[in-house]
Amino acid sequence: MPIKITVNSFMLLVIYLRSNNITKILNSLKYKISKTYYFMKNISVILNISELQDAYLLDWKKIKKKFLSIKVFIIGINGFKDNKLKQIILNSGLLVFSENHKTNIKKKIIL
């Protein structure tokens, strides 16, 4: 067989967004990365938007691109409030995770 697939327990970093201002989000994230560079270098994250107001207004493609520019890879979004927002996020090319999706959280970062 050319590949082997196994199920392993791994942890994910979840970032809780609390602002619609992409510049503020990135500046806060850059600051946190500067304090923990080796831990957060080239890291994959899930964005939780459950505390975010007016998530419809965000340009999710732009957010994905901006996060990639600082070597933070968004593997999915959770915390969406309805199917319309879920579809907007999916249309941007990002994955969505339901709230009941179980993950092991390595660290919680509030932005």
Side-chain angles (χ1 to χ4, degrees):
M1 295 299 258
I3 65 170
K4 177 182 177 182
I5 298 175
T6 62
V7 177
N8 289 318
S9 177
F10 61 94
M11 295 186 200
L12 297 171
L13 185 74
V14 178
I15 297 176
Y16 289 75
L17 299 183
R18 290 185 167 168
S19 171
N20 286 346
N21 186 313
I22 296 172
T23 302
K24 283 184 181 180
I25 290 169
L26 286 174
N27 287 340
S28 179
L29 190 54
K30 286 176 188 177
Y31 174 78
K32 291 188 185 281
I33 289 171
S34 74
K35 298 297 180 194
T36 59
Y37 178 72
Y38 293 107
F39 173 70
M40 294 193 55
K41 184 180 178 184
N42 297 316
I43 194 151
S44 298
V45 300
I46 292 177
L47 297 182
N48 182 297
I49 60 171
S50 62
E51 300 177 35
L52 194 59
Q53 300 296 318
D54 299 323
Y56 298 100
L57 303 177
L58 290 173
D59 182 342
W60 291 100
K61 287 182 183 180
K62 184 176 181 181
I63 289 174
K64 181 179 178 182
K65 184 185 268 188
K66 293 287 188 180
F67 271 67
L68 282 173
S69 75
I70 60 171
K71 305 281 192 260
V72 176
F73 305 92
I74 302 171
I75 58 171
I77 309 287
N78 75 344
F80 51 90
K81 294 174 178 58
D82 58 50
N83 285 331
K84 181 180 176 186
L85 181 55
K86 177 182 175 180
Q87 195 57 51
I88 290 170
I89 293 167
L90 285 170
N91 289 342
S92 74
L94 292 165
L95 299 174
V96 295
F97 296 99
S98 65
E99 284 298 312
N100 60 6
H101 180 77
K102 301 276 186 204
T103 58
N104 293 321
I105 298 173
K106 184 182 276 185
K107 190 169 182 178
K108 179 177 177 178
I109 296 180
I110 310 267
L111 298 179

